[in-house]
Amino acid sequence: MGDTPALKRALSQRQLRMIAIGGVIGAGLFVGSGVVIGDTGPGTFITYGLAGVLIIMVMRMLAEMAVANPSTGSFADYSRNALGNWAGFSVGWLYWYFWVIVVGFEAIAGAKIIQFWIDVPLWLTALILLIAMTATNLFSVSSFGEFEYWFAGVKVAAILAFIGLGAFYVLGVWPDKDLDFSNLTAHGGFFPLGATAVTVGVVTVIFSMVGAEIATIAAAESSDPERAVAKAANSVILRIALFFVGSAFLLVTILPWNSDQTVASPFVAAFTEMGIPYADHIMNAVVLTAVLSCLNSGMYTASRMLFVLAARREAPPQLVAVTRRGVPATAILTSSVIGLICVIAAAFFPDTIFQFLLNSSGAVILFVYLLIAISQIVLRRRTDDSMLKVKMWLFPVLSILTAAAIFAILVQMFVQGGDNRSALVLSLASWAVVIVLFWLNRMFVSRRPQTPDVAPTSEHPHRVLVLANQTVESDELLDELRRIGADRDTTYYVVVPASPIDTGVANTHGPLDISEATQQAAQERLDSTLATLRSGDFEATGTLGEYRPLRALAKAVETFRPDQIVISTLPPEESVWQRFDVVDRARAEHHLPVTHVVSRVRATEPAP
């Protein structure tokens, strides 16, 4: 096979850098920090530090795997390689489910913020926000990157402004203000709720930090994925230390931890305490930007994960389809529809369906992180150190401790009871559903009966139509064609469906250039097969068909008028064509002799 075209990239290093910086700053920092302060006390910044260390470890493990083996599927593929198809299936679908629920939740959150200024129905505003961010993602990858660049820029600027002004205030550089750290101990001591309270808020804090790993997915559509992932993983240390730990420390230093204003809206309360005018309007605008950023990146992440699942034959193949701009529109719209369902549920069934959806995804991200940690441990032991450009620190000690810490958080969620326990139980149920679906699919494929071959109506058919893709160059198919044409009086017409999944291109290319790469890979398979047949003095021609094999076959039958059809597939446990009865349906539709060839060896797939 020839070289496949180089990946086209639409995300610049500037955009990817800001996505990596802003991805870790969600609305949860601005709003959720008040809840953590109320549950923890002045030691809140230690809670943020503990959660931050865990996120840093996960990102470092991701960087090791991503740089060693760049993949459009990111950590879903690493789990599949390390633990098996069930793990890749689980990570992909769980991560997608988490983000489509986030999309719906953030649309509602944004609508509530807008109601601070304008009295409009919640569902209508949420719907408008959802449509706007869907349109942004549908237009082009670069438009997503540009929107996210500016959204993230506003978030980062707001945090940096708060840290700068807050530091001046605490250190006594502020007008009429002296150096003052008294709030750290003046209201019941540094640990008013006990030293163990600092671990209680870890669950909440972890969810406010989710998003750092998006950079590993977006990197597949950047100009230098390996470098981008490595830089994103390394810089997350500074981002968490500065944005989360630093801002949490300033909040509990500026404000009494047990103040009602601190718990309700800590950043507004801090700006108000410092005498900043219009603090509520400023922070609401910043939080709205954070919400739109999360909504935008959530839509992007969910759609790319669906794209990857479809490329791995674990979701409908239509989800691989891309527009001329290289956007997986079907995957984006599918994710948007689920987000719309969440908006409807929040508007009309807030205490039942919507709450159920939130709880059923509440611990999902921790399951994903746990599988990432275990996958890194497994893959690291299989990989020679000389092949690793980025390595997890102090392996295997820190990797094992990270996995154990994630498991401990899950246990703590159960022990804490209430909403945390409900979220854990329902999230486990979600994972159980995914596992059941995986095994049902496997059982369906493995138990499918073999299709009996139908003999041709004549001993030596003269016009043979061949439908194949992955197996088009296999020895089994070529041997069968030579047997059929033993009298040298046979004409062959070979059809190769131009499917990104069957050609293997979807495994190595992102949405931007998948169409071009698919056409080239399919054409090379067709040309190679025709050359092999012609070298044996057979008369052979052929064409590329559309990605759906039965439609490609129907058009070829109409064009070529064959006497016999030969369909070549992989074995039942690997063949999507067998799973969907392509051979039987071809026989029923065309009433021609159909020879079914099962090939054990795949055609050569395109190099990444």
Side-chain angles (χ1 to χ4, degrees):
M1 299 289 291
D3 294 333
T4 55
L7 281 171
K8 299 175 184 174
R9 310 294 183 178
L11 290 179
S12 66
Q13 288 297 321
R14 170 183 69 91
Q15 292 170 335
L16 192 67
R17 184 164 54 250
M18 192 58 78
I19 290 170
I21 293 173
V24 77
I25 306 174
L29 171 61
F30 299 104
V31 180
S33 53
V35 176
V36 180
I37 292 171
D39 291 340
T40 307
T44 293
F45 66 93
I46 299 177
T47 302
Y48 275 93
L50 292 173
V53 168
L54 191 62
I55 295 295
I56 289 168
M57 295 298 106
V58 171
M59 280 297 292
R60 185 69 183 187
M61 289 189 282
L62 270 178
E64 177 183 292
M65 294 185 289
V67 173
N69 184 26
S71 166
T72 57
S74 190
F75 39 85
D77 277 349
Y78 307 141
S79 295
R80 180 179 290 104
N81 294 339
L83 304 173
N85 289 330
W86 71 269
F89 189 92
S90 294
V91 168
W93 280 110
L94 288 175
Y95 198 68
W96 173 80
Y97 182 61
F98 173 81
W99 277 108
V100 292
I101 299 300
V102 166
V103 163
F105 175 79
E106 295 294 343
I108 293 294
K112 288 181 178 178
I113 295 170
I114 291 175
Q115 284 186 329
F116 178 80
W117 297 294
I118 307 172
D119 185 18
V120 291
L122 187 71
W123 67 268
L124 179 60
T125 310
L127 180 61
I128 292 172
L129 293 178
L130 185 62
I131 291 174
M133 291 302 99
T134 301
T136 298
N137 276 266
L138 284 173
F139 185 72
S140 70
V141 179
S142 59
S143 69
F144 154 76
E146 198 61 25
F147 270 84
E148 194 59 24
Y149 176 84
W150 291 107
F151 286 155
V154 171
K155 292 188 293 183
V156 171
I159 290 292
L160 291 178
F162 170 73
I163 290 173
L165 295 174
F168 286 155
Y169 185 84
V170 168
L171 295 174
V173 183
W174 204 257
D176 302 321
K177 184 71 173 66
D178 297 324
L179 179 72
D180 184 10
F181 291 90
S182 60
N183 279 327
L184 292 175
T185 56
H187 304 278
F190 188 69
F191 293 118
L193 303 176
T196 57
V198 296
T199 64
V200 173
V202 170
V203 174
T204 303
V205 172
I206 283 288
F207 294 119
S208 72
M209 293 181 178
V210 170
E213 71 284 344
I214 292 176
T216 65
I217 297 176
E221 296 178 70
S222 71
S223 58
D224 189 354
E226 292 185 15
R227 179 168 168 266
V229 171
K231 289 187 67 174
N234 291 332
S235 62
V236 77
I237 301 172
L238 177 62
R239 297 201 305 271
I240 288 177
L242 183 64
F243 298 146
F244 286 91
V245 180
S247 60
F249 176 77
L250 289 173
L251 285 173
V252 295
T253 306
I254 295 170
L255 303 166
W257 72 272
N258 54 355
S259 165
D260 290 341
Q261 288 78 14
T262 302
V263 174
S265 187
F267 283 88
V268 171
F271 277 128
T272 302
E273 179 71 18
M274 289 186 283
I276 305 295
Y278 306 108
D280 52 350
H281 290 278
I282 293 172
M283 285 313 301
N284 267 308
V286 171
V287 174
L288 178 60
T289 303
V291 165
L292 292 177
S293 171
C294 194
L295 182 55
N296 191 37
S297 59
M299 187 72 70
Y300 172 87
T301 306
S303 65
R304 267 42 178 195
M305 193 56 74
L306 267 190
F307 177 90
V308 169
L309 285 166
R312 276 38 168 194
R313 306 174 186 277
E314 294 170 344
Q318 291 85 350
L319 296 170
V320 176
V322 297
T323 66
R324 286 182 295 177
R325 293 179 179 270
V327 174
T330 308
I332 291 173
L333 291 173
T334 301
S335 300
S336 180
V337 167
I338 305 301
L340 175 61
I341 292 173
C342 291
V343 169
I344 295 172
F348 299 101
F349 311 99
D351 299 324
T352 53
I353 297 177
F354 186 61
Q355 193 61 42
F356 169 80
L357 290 172
L358 289 180
N359 285 338
S360 65
S361 65
V364 158
I365 197 66
L366 289 174
F367 300 156
V368 171
Y369 285 169
L370 182 60
L371 287 173
I372 289 172
I374 296 172
S375 299
Q376 186 269 334
I377 294 170
V378 173
L379 291 178
R380 176 67 175 269
R381 293 192 179 280
R382 295 179 186 170
T383 307
D384 192 312
D385 278 3
S386 62
M387 299 176 61
L388 298 175
K389 299 177 184 178
V390 175
K391 296 181 181 180
M392 178 61 180
W393 305 295
L394 297 177
F395 180 83
V397 176
L398 285 184
S399 296
I400 294 173
L401 287 177
T402 300
I406 297 171
F407 184 77
I409 293 173
L410 293 170
V411 172
Q412 187 177 37
M413 289 181 69
F414 183 81
V415 172
Q416 285 178 358
D419 289 342
N420 281 333
R421 180 179 294 176
S422 175
L424 175 62
V425 172
L426 288 176
S427 296
L428 283 170
S430 299
W431 194 0
V433 170
V434 170
I435 293 294
V436 168
L437 289 175
F438 171 78
W439 286 109
L440 285 176
N441 181 64
R442 287 287 298 271
M443 290 170 60
F444 173 76
V445 174
S446 62
R447 292 183 179 179
R448 188 187 176 280
Q450 294 291 311
T451 306
D453 288 332
V454 174
T457 54
S458 62
E459 186 178 353
H460 299 295
H462 295 285
R463 300 174 66 80
V464 178
L465 174 58
V466 182
L467 178 70
N469 197 314
Q470 294 151 292
T471 59
V472 73
E473 299 168 279
S474 67
D475 291 339
E476 291 89 344
L477 175 58
L478 293 174
D479 287 345
E480 178 64 20
L481 296 182
R482 293 187 186 101
R483 186 192 66 77
I484 291 173
D487 63 349
R488 300 295 194 271
D489 189 22
T490 301
T491 301
Y492 296 98
Y493 191 82
V494 182
V495 180
V496 177
S499 163
I501 298 175
D502 292 334
T503 56
V505 166
N507 289 333
T508 56
H509 291 67
L512 288 172
D513 63 338
I514 194 170
S515 297
E516 179 183 342
T518 298
Q519 290 293 319
Q520 180 168 331
Q523 187 65 51
E524 288 173 348
R525 287 185 176 177
L526 175 62
D527 292 344
S528 176
T529 304
L530 293 178
T532 301
L533 290 173
R534 289 165 182 166
S535 68
D537 295 328
F538 294 113
E539 182 180 344
T541 186
T543 186
L544 298 185
E546 74 153 89
Y547 75 93
R548 288 167 289 196
L550 286 173
R551 294 202 178 186
L553 180 65
K555 184 172 179 59
V557 168
E558 181 181 351
T559 301
F560 183 61
R561 301 295 181 185
D563 302 309
Q564 180 182 353
I565 297 173
V566 176
I567 299 177
S568 179
T569 72
L570 290 168
E573 64 274 10
E574 300 179 55
S575 173
V576 173
W577 288 11
Q578 289 208 52
R579 186 183 312 171
F580 293 104
D581 301 320
V582 167
V583 177
D584 284 343
R585 292 163 69 184
R587 286 176 174 143
E589 182 175 346
H590 300 293
H591 306 289
L592 289 169
V594 176
T595 299
H596 178 203
V597 177
V598 177
S599 300
R600 298 288 171 181
V601 181
R602 295 172 181 265
T604 305
E605 293 191 352

